[in-house]
Amino acid sequence: MRKTFLHNISNIVTVITVAMFFSCNNNYNEVKKIGISENEPIGEAEQIDLKYTDSGRVTANLISPKMIDYTNRSFAFREFPNGVHLNLFDKQNKKSTIIADYAIVYEKTGLIDLQGNVVLASHEKDTLFAEQLYFDEANEWLFTNKPVTFKSKGDLAKGNVFDTDKDFSQVSLIEMNNSVMTVKE
C-alpha cells in the first residue's frame, strides 16, 4: 500500500513538473513587456542632440529638449512635446533648418507632423511659415492644408494649402491671398 501511495505521489509530481516545463514560454519580447503598459511610453529622453551621418558626413542634426518613445504601441510613434530644431545638410554642406513647437514621428507610415510656429528655412533663404506641416519621408514631400506664408527671392506668397517636394522645386500654393509676386515679362 505504501509503495502505491509513493508511486502515485511520484506520478503527480512528475505530471506537475512536466506541465510547468511545457507551459513556460521563453519569449523575450513578452518578457520585455512585463510591467510596461501599452499606454505608457517605453522610454523618455531629455536634451537630445542627435547627429545623423552618411559615409562619415553629418546629414542632419536633431536638437530637442524632450522625446517620448511610444514604439511599444501597435501604431508606433515618437513625440517631441517641447519642440524640435533640425538642421539638414546637403552634399555641399549647405544648411537648411526646420523649427517647430511640437513634433510627432509615426514609425509605420513615415509621416512627420510638425505643429506650432513651424519655420522651414532653406540654404537658399527660401522660408516657409506654417502652423502645421507634414513631411512624407518616403516621397520626400511637404504639405499642409493650414494657412502658410512662403518667402522666396523677394516674393511673398500666402495661402491655405501648400504642397512641395523637399527641394522646393515643385511648389503648389492654393487659395492665395495678400501675396506679392514678381512677374517676369
Side-chain angles (χ1 to χ4, degrees):
M1 175 90 159
R2 183 156 167 84
K3 276 187 169 179
T4 308
F5 178 73
L6 290 176
H7 183 67
N8 287 340
I9 294 290
S10 176
N11 286 340
I12 292 171
V13 169
T14 302
V15 168
I16 290 172
T17 303
V18 170
M20 286 177 48
F21 177 74
F22 285 110
S23 69
C24 291
N25 185 356
N26 190 14
N27 187 338
Y28 181 68
N29 289 331
E30 294 300 317
V31 172
K32 285 189 337 187
K33 290 181 181 179
I34 292 174
I36 299 175
S37 168
E38 188 174 292
N39 294 325
E40 296 295 320
I42 196 166
E44 292 185 24
E46 293 184 356
Q47 303 308 321
I48 297 169
D49 188 352
L50 183 62
K51 292 176 175 64
Y52 295 92
T53 60
D54 182 9
S55 303
R57 182 182 63 81
V58 175
T59 57
N61 179 213
L62 173 68
I63 300 166
S64 180
K66 185 173 188 175
M67 179 195 74
I68 305 173
D69 186 349
Y70 290 97
T71 55
N72 56 325
R73 291 188 175 188
S74 58
F75 192 72
F77 65 93
R78 287 187 175 91
E79 182 180 34
F80 298 85
N82 300 332
V84 293
H85 183 115
L86 178 63
N87 295 315
L88 303 168
F89 301 94
D90 67 9
K91 292 182 180 178
Q92 290 77 37
N93 209 32
K94 295 178 182 173
K95 181 172 82 170
S96 296
T97 303
I98 301 171
I99 300 170
D101 292 342
Y102 174 88
I104 189 164
V105 179
Y106 297 100
E107 296 289 316
K108 289 184 179 179
T109 62
L111 193 65
I112 300 172
D113 181 1
L114 303 164
Q115 298 177 24
N117 300 309
V118 179
V119 179
L120 192 151
S122 75
H123 66 275
E124 294 179 349
K125 306 299 181 215
D126 294 335
T127 308
L128 177 70
F129 302 91
E131 275 307 305
Q132 184 172 28
L133 185 67
Y134 296 99
F135 179 63
D136 179 345
E137 289 181 289
N139 297 311
E140 297 184 327
W141 204 260
L142 294 153
F143 60 96
T144 186
N145 61 352
K146 304 261 178 148
V148 298
T149 300
F150 182 59
K151 292 181 182 179
S152 178
K153 299 171 185 62
D155 295 338
L156 177 66
K158 295 181 180 185
N160 292 324
V161 178
F162 183 81
D163 201 20
T164 186
D165 62 337
K166 70 173 185 141
D167 298 322
F168 289 94
S169 61
Q170 300 178 35
V171 175
S172 173
L173 186 58
I174 301 173
E175 296 180 18
M176 290 178 62
N177 54 48
N178 299 326
S179 300
V180 178
M181 305 294 290
T182 303
V183 179
K184 294 181 182 179
E185 292 184 43

